[in-house]
Amino acid sequence: MLITSCGDGTKAPDLADQDRFLRAYVELLNESDEAGLARLLGAHPHGDEDARARVKAYGGQDWDVRWSRTSEFANVWSVDLTGTARAGDTPVRLNETITREGEHWTMAPLPGVVPEPSNAADTEPPG
C-alpha cells in the first residue's frame, strides 16, 4: 500500500541537513565570521545586511546551544535555540523562523534588517 500526502510532489526536506545549517550558523556566529554568515544566509535578498546585524547582536559569544523545532506549515519551522553564551556565562534563548526554499535554508531576517513598507500594518501594541 502506498500512502501519499497532499502537496506538490516534492520530497520533504532532510532535517539532518537543517541541523548542519544550524551548526554552521552557530559556528559562524561564534567566529564572528560576517562573510561566511552572509554566504550561509545568502538565499534571501538581505543576507548581507542580516549577517552584519546577527554578528553585531550575537557574534563572538562562544555559544554552546542545542535546538528544538516545531512545524505547523510545510517547509517552515520555528526553531528554539537554548544554552549558554560561555563568553559571559549568560543564557541564550532565541527563536528563529527557518524555511526551505528550493535547495536552500533561509532564516527570517532580524527585525529592522528589511525596510518596512510605509503602508505596513502596525503590529506593535498601543502603549
Side-chain angles (χ1 to χ4, degrees):
M1 172 166 33
L2 178 64
I3 299 175
T4 60
S5 64
C6 295
D8 61 7
T10 60
K11 76 176 194 176
D14 179 6
L15 293 181
D17 189 46
Q18 187 185 77
D19 287 338
R20 285 186 288 277
F21 174 84
L22 289 164
R23 276 192 297 278
Y25 172 67
V26 170
E27 183 178 305
L28 292 165
L29 282 176
N30 283 342
E31 295 170 358
S32 293
D33 184 348
E34 188 176 317
L37 193 56
R39 283 189 299 277
L40 185 71
L41 302 177
H44 75 71
H46 296 280
D48 290 343
E49 294 94 344
D50 195 32
R52 188 173 309 111
R54 288 175 187 279
V55 166
K56 183 177 180 183
Y58 311 125
Q61 296 181 16
D62 195 22
W63 281 7
D64 179 21
V65 295
R66 62 192 173 285
W67 48 84
S68 61
R69 63 186 144 235
T70 58
S71 178
E72 294 182 21
F73 304 100
N75 295 323
V76 179
W77 289 264
S78 176
V79 178
D80 292 314
L81 292 105
T82 58
T84 305
R86 292 181 287 209
D89 199 30
T90 56
V92 172
R93 285 186 180 81
L94 186 65
N95 180 272
E96 298 284 2
T97 300
I98 299 178
T99 61
R100 184 70 175 187
E101 296 179 8
E103 295 299 313
H104 302 282
W105 294 105
T106 62
M107 297 178 102
L110 289 181
V113 169
V114 177
E116 189 173 297
S118 60
N119 62 349
D122 183 9
T123 59
E124 292 295 314

